[in-house]
Amino acid sequence: MSPPRPSRPKVVVVGVGRLGGALALALAAKRWPVRVLARSEESRRRALELGLKPATEKDLAQARVCLLCVPDKTVPAVAEELKPRLARGAALVHCAGALSLEALGPPRGKVLGSFHPLVAVSDPRDSLAGNSVALSTRSRWLREALERMAKDVGLRALRVPEKQRAAYHAGAVLSAGGVVAALSAAVEAFRAAGISEEDALAALLPLTRSALRGVEARGLAAGYTGPIARGDAGVVTAHLAALPPEVATVYRPLSRRGLRLVGHRLPHDALATLERLLASDPL
């Protein structure tokens, strides 16, 4: 019988960018035995500035979990480079949201997995706590280790089926970059009203946060507000007339989506009018 694996196995984080640095710092704060493998002189300097311990070849050979925090396009090559340097049975885990386990290539005696935090990390010192992480692996022990890792750093674990990974990642992108893109359209609408980008963001960001708090407290349909939720076709007509064409092409599909959330509680005539107004973009 093989000896039981430690509850906090030795971890090497490959890459000291924003996510790699944040994961390494969070794990170190929870007393995980973690080292970082820097792949450039700049990365080594960044690791030292963050107070992270650099990984030696011995650390790599003794690691039970190796987290690849590298650009998506480099994952296959980095995985192949590292496999001979890791012990047999060690876990090789990428942190890319869009990539399947196949991106890691043939196992070659390694256990494969993915660990994708759903958090927009803009600085290695950002906290990961309070967010979620998508996990995927066929190994029971690695799944338990990754779930323990998630719990320790304050992440809620989600298991994502490999066949549905693209749909999961698209949803994640819409909730982050998609929201920023929608906010940019709102800023453009304010600009059409003569309001500067600085003043627009100062006004709109708190409004966006209040809307998200409403969704958090009451759910999507109950948290959705505005003229669509009220069935006010007159206001929507005025919006479409006032908006620059490029912004109107964003307003219409987002409003149609909102109508799907709340249409069931609107009077039939109001629903029909709004559907007509929002049916298609002008040529």
Side-chain angles (χ1 to χ4, degrees):
M1 178 181 292
S2 58
R5 294 182 175 88
S7 59
R8 291 187 177 93
K10 292 183 178 180
V11 176
V12 167
V13 176
V14 182
V16 199
R18 291 173 294 182
L19 178 58
L23 273 173
L25 286 172
L27 291 170
K30 293 298 180 178
R31 299 186 179 180
W32 279 64
V34 59
R35 298 289 187 273
V36 294
L37 185 64
R39 297 176 53 77
S40 69
E41 192 57 44
E42 181 183 351
S43 293
R44 281 188 283 274
R45 183 168 57 252
R46 190 182 306 122
L48 293 174
E49 289 173 354
L50 292 171
L52 295 169
K53 298 179 180 178
T56 64
E57 282 300 315
K58 182 178 179 181
D59 292 322
L60 201 58
Q62 293 178 344
R64 295 300 301 153
V65 178
C66 183
L67 293 173
L68 302 187
C69 298
V70 297
D72 289 16
K73 64 182 180 181
T74 68
V75 165
V78 174
E80 289 306 308
E81 175 197 330
L82 289 173
K83 283 173 187 173
R85 301 160 69 185
L86 295 168
R88 183 170 184 81
L92 193 58
V93 180
H94 72 63
C95 296
L99 300 182
S100 70
L101 298 183
E102 292 180 357
L104 294 167
R108 304 191 197 284
K110 308 301 180 289
V111 179
L112 306 181
S114 67
F115 186 90
H116 177 237
L118 283 121
V119 51
V121 180
S122 58
D123 186 272
R125 297 175 181 84
D126 287 350
S127 172
L128 303 176
N131 296 284
S132 294
V133 61
L135 308 179
S136 181
T137 182
R138 299 182 182 94
S139 162
R140 179 178 175 180
W141 83 260
L142 179 56
R143 182 174 65 250
E144 291 174 351
L146 294 178
E147 287 176 347
R148 174 63 184 272
M149 183 184 296
K151 181 179 179 181
D152 279 2
V153 301
L155 293 167
R156 179 175 177 268
L158 302 173
R159 296 185 189 180
V160 178
E162 283 293 293
K163 291 183 179 179
Q164 282 76 46
R165 190 172 192 91
Y168 143 79
H169 191 247
V173 168
L174 284 170
S175 72
V179 171
V180 176
L183 189 58
S184 76
V187 169
E188 186 68 21
F190 267 44
R191 186 178 290 118
I195 301 169
S196 70
E197 179 174 335
E198 181 181 1
D199 287 342
L201 284 173
L204 292 171
L205 285 172
L207 176 60
T208 301
R209 286 192 286 267
S210 69
L212 294 177
R213 286 195 298 271
V215 172
E216 187 173 20
R218 290 175 287 280
L220 289 168
Y224 183 75
T225 62
I228 299 294
R230 299 191 300 270
D232 195 335
V235 170
V236 172
T237 299
H239 287 176
L240 291 171
L243 288 173
E246 184 179 342
V247 179
T249 61
V250 177
Y251 183 98
R252 277 190 167 88
L254 287 178
S255 296
R256 287 197 298 266
R257 188 75 195 183
L259 195 56
R260 288 181 61 182
L261 286 174
V262 300
H264 64 281
R265 64 181 188 235
L266 296 178
H268 178 73
D269 58 341
L271 175 61
T273 302
L274 286 170
E275 285 176 338
R276 255 192 331 270
L277 280 171
L278 301 169
S280 61
D281 297 334
L283 296 177

